Amino acid sequence: MIQLVVWYATLLFIILLAVVFGWVAFSSKKKQDYAPIIKRWYKARSIYGVLLVVLMLVVTIYTLRELPFNEPSHVEGVEVIPVHVEAFQFGFELNMTEFSVGDTVEFNVTTKDVTHGFGVYDPDMVLVGQTQAMPEYTNTFYLTFDQPGTYQVLCLEYCGLAHHMMMTEMVVK
Ligand code: CUA
């Protein structure tokens, strides 16, 4: 059924396109004064420009409404477990890798050498949190483990030949 609809829609568009091509080819033989055409199209262009700006403003405002930057990174008053993370070529050193469901962890992430990424994936391999590991700087981010299983940590910043092998695991019980 759907193939039939697509087929007829395609056919219709091909015919429409052919008509437009034919019309352009046919009317191109007629001689016309150029100045009025320029005037008309400059007008059309400015209307098009205004419409485009309005459309972009609407889309921008609509899509930027729900940015999470003003939201708290974790629930205030909840006890957090600080975990120190040191990235290096090519691995991660965590001073704690076993947690319980419901734990809120404060990852303090830095690196011994070059910039790395610290990306945490839940047992379904969905990225649930990430930050950059930067030399001589500590980035902090909070994560609450809401399901048990093995969480993978992958490097998300190309950092050298074995970047793709840079990973570790955390277990949530
Ligand atoms: Cu470390 Cu890529």
Side-chain angles (χ1 to χ4, degrees):
M1 180 62 199
I2 186 81
Q3 283 98 331
L4 216 62
V5 173
V6 170
W7 163 240
Y8 281 118
T10 309
L11 206 61
L12 183 74
F13 282 119
I14 290 173
I15 292 167
L16 272 176
L17 206 63
V19 169
V20 171
F21 268 70
W23 178 75
V24 169
F26 181 75
S27 57
S28 66
K29 291 194 181 78
K30 281 187 281 180
K31 290 248 190 287
Q32 259 191 59
D33 197 10
Y34 199 44
I37 299 175
I38 290 179
K39 213 177 143 193
R40 214 166 60 218
W41 279 104
Y42 272 25
K43 203 176 151 196
R45 200 169 62 174
S46 54
I47 293 168
Y48 172 72
V50 170
L51 278 180
L52 204 62
V53 169
V54 169
L55 181 76
M56 279 163 68
L57 270 175
V58 169
V59 170
T60 304
I61 291 166
Y62 185 78
T63 53
L64 288 185
R65 284 171 317 152
E66 287 177 27
L67 282 186
F69 298 131
N70 286 329
E71 290 180 15
S73 53
H74 65 293
V75 182
E76 290 293 333
V78 165
E79 202 183 314
V80 298
I81 302 164
V83 173
H84 183 72
V85 180
E86 208 156 67
F88 59 91
Q89 285 169 318
F90 294 97
F92 297 98
E93 249 176 49
L94 281 75
N95 65 349
M96 202 179 158
T97 56
E98 283 193 18
F99 306 95
S100 303
V101 174
D103 282 353
T104 296
V105 178
E106 178 192 84
F107 290 103
N108 296 303
V109 183
T110 187
T111 168
K112 286 178 179 172
D113 38 52
V114 300
T115 299
H116 300 274
F118 180 77
V120 181
Y121 290 77
D122 74 6
D124 301 324
M125 281 312 277
V126 173
L127 182 67
V128 286
Q130 70 93 27
T131 191
Q132 272 205 320
M134 294 153 67
E136 293 173 36
Y137 191 86
T138 299
N139 275 312
T140 299
F141 89 95
Y142 298 88
L143 185 67
T144 302
F145 292 113
D146 50 15
Q147 60 167 309
T150 302
Y151 286 64
Q152 307 273 345
V153 175
L154 306 182
C155 180
L156 298 182
E157 180 82 46
Y158 184 72
C159 54
L161 277 182
H163 156 75
H164 61 287
M165 294 171 69
M166 187 168 163
M167 56 184 81
T168 190
E169 286 180 355
M170 295 183 289
V171 175
V172 176
K173 287 180 177 150

